[in-house]
Amino acid sequence: IGFHKYGQDKGINIDYRSEKSTELFDTWNKPLFVEEMGVNAGGSSDYLPLYKCDKSEFHNSVWSTSFMGLAGTGMTWWWDRGIHEFQYYKDYNAINSFFKDENLEEEKYKPLQWHNTLSVKRASIETYFMVNKKATKTIGWVHNATNYWRNTNSECLNELVDKGVFKSPYKLKDGVFLGKDNKGTDFSKDKDAYTNKGGVQNIANKTFEIKGLQTGGVFGKKKWYKIVFYSTVNNKEIGSKKLNTNMWGKLKPSYPEGGETDYSYKIVYLGEGRKAP
């Protein structure tokens, strides 16, 4: 099953791609793939210059869609605007390493997601994940949702926000210009709740929620899981922790310290008992 969705607003992954993926997966129970995605680039709006200024839109989209149906990461239509010039292909190396030893078909995963506020514009943490049929294994990606392109700060991005276009169109190595025919896109919009409050926030130790796991009892034995976090740069293990689910089958890990804007993770069921195995 596949669908297309372009866009660069903060809610593009939370509000649309993930919800559409869940809807289609629940209807057809088939592997799902975001066949086309990327920033809007046509008519009066050309967001392609973002690929020179900021990597977050590309990075967040390829990682989040990797957990929306497990037929692969979404296909970024404008792959050549960042892959060659700015080495965005390195993001795929970490994704490939993360999934390398996973038997996706055998586990029968189901896509889920969670973010910490009702309003997407106010969300500071989000996670996309897959839970297997037996609720014994989960793989996912957790993200500092304030790390959104509109909240990053650079001379390049500030020029776009202030002027809507590069003063001098940027020529890529393949001869294509970023923004050459653009008359001025309104990069100053698409703000979230943090754009005028310092931009990207520190969310270390904030908790996020993994649902769909085995339920724990209020009294007696608990259901224990181990979560291991990995770097989205090189897939190196960052840290791990043992936690138990609550009576609704939810696990509530803390976002790791270290200042990274996102982490991938794997969760495995350890067993039940009054104390962690």
Side-chain angles (χ1 to χ4, degrees):
I1 308 298
F3 67 94
H4 302 181
K5 184 60 178 178
Y6 290 81
Q8 59 286 320
D9 59 284
K10 184 176 182 178
I12 193 68
N13 292 312
I14 304 175
D15 262 352
Y16 190 88
R17 290 175 184 147
S18 181
E19 290 192 6
K20 190 66 175 178
S21 296
T22 302
E23 174 192 333
L24 290 171
F25 189 91
D26 288 346
T27 300
W28 298 99
N29 193 30
K30 298 288 185 181
L32 189 135
F33 188 57
V34 185
E35 294 172 321
E36 289 186 24
M37 65 178 187
V39 297
N40 291 325
S44 60
S45 296
D46 180 7
Y47 283 88
L48 285 177
L50 279 179
Y51 283 71
K52 176 181 184 292
C53 299
D54 184 72
K55 186 182 180 181
S56 61
E57 186 281 329
F58 173 87
H59 180 88
N60 297 342
S61 291
V62 297
W63 270 100
S64 62
T65 55
S66 295
F67 301 95
M68 291 184 187
L70 285 183
T73 181
M75 286 185 66
T76 297
W77 182 253
W78 310 112
W79 63 275
D80 49 349
R81 301 287 73 90
I83 290 291
H84 300 306
E85 190 81 0
F86 310 113
Q87 299 185 330
Y88 283 10
Y89 64 85
K90 291 183 178 180
D91 282 39
Y92 291 116
N93 293 338
I95 293 173
N96 182 60
S97 181
F98 179 85
F99 282 101
K100 183 179 179 181
D101 298 320
E102 295 299 321
N103 191 329
L104 305 179
E105 173 60 24
E106 183 178 292
E107 294 295 346
K108 302 296 181 184
Y109 283 110
K110 174 183 174 64
L112 295 164
Q113 62 112 308
W114 177 90
H115 57 94
N116 67 326
T117 61
L118 292 176
S119 167
V120 171
K121 286 184 177 292
R122 295 178 58 196
S124 61
I125 186 169
E126 61 179 337
T127 183
Y128 303 84
F129 55 98
M130 309 286 295
V131 179
N132 71 353
K133 193 172 184 180
K134 296 179 180 179
T136 56
K137 189 168 184 179
T138 299
I139 53 177
W141 176 74
V142 61
H143 171 236
N144 180 342
T146 70
N147 182 52
Y148 155 58
W149 69 265
R150 190 62 181 83
N151 291 343
T152 58
N153 185 27
S154 68
E155 289 186 11
C156 178
L157 186 59
N158 291 342
E159 181 179 9
L160 291 177
V161 171
D162 292 340
K163 302 183 182 301
V165 66
F166 289 138
K167 183 178 180 180
S168 300
Y170 185 80
K171 185 178 181 180
L172 296 167
K173 292 179 181 178
D174 60 5
V176 174
F177 284 88
L178 291 180
K180 181 179 180 180
D181 301 319
N182 183 24
K183 296 180 180 179
T185 298
D186 187 3
F187 287 92
S188 65
K189 60 180 184 178
D190 295 328
K191 297 180 180 179
D192 74 354
Y194 307 98
T195 305
N196 296 329
K197 296 180 179 179
V200 180
Q201 308 289 302
N202 179 9
I203 65 165
N205 297 314
K206 274 197 172 185
T207 59
F208 60 100
E209 186 174 291
I210 307 294
K211 55 189 175 182
L213 300 176
Q214 297 185 30
T215 58
V218 178
F219 306 104
K221 295 181 179 180
K222 301 175 181 179
K223 299 297 177 68
W224 292 92
Y225 288 82
K226 180 181 179 180
I227 181 169
V228 181
F229 291 98
Y230 299 88
S231 165
T232 60
V233 176
N234 52 27
N235 199 46
K236 288 185 178 180
E237 184 176 328
I238 299 299
S240 63
K241 193 169 185 179
K242 295 178 180 179
L243 300 166
N244 63 281
T245 54
N246 61 20
M247 62 186 297
W248 296 282
K250 297 178 180 179
L251 206 65
K252 296 188 176 183
S254 295
Y255 192 86
E257 296 180 345
E260 297 299 321
T261 57
D262 61 321
Y263 299 92
S264 54
Y265 59 84
K266 297 182 180 183
I267 301 173
V268 294
Y269 178 63
L270 299 176
E272 62 178 7
R274 296 182 182 278
K275 295 182 179 180

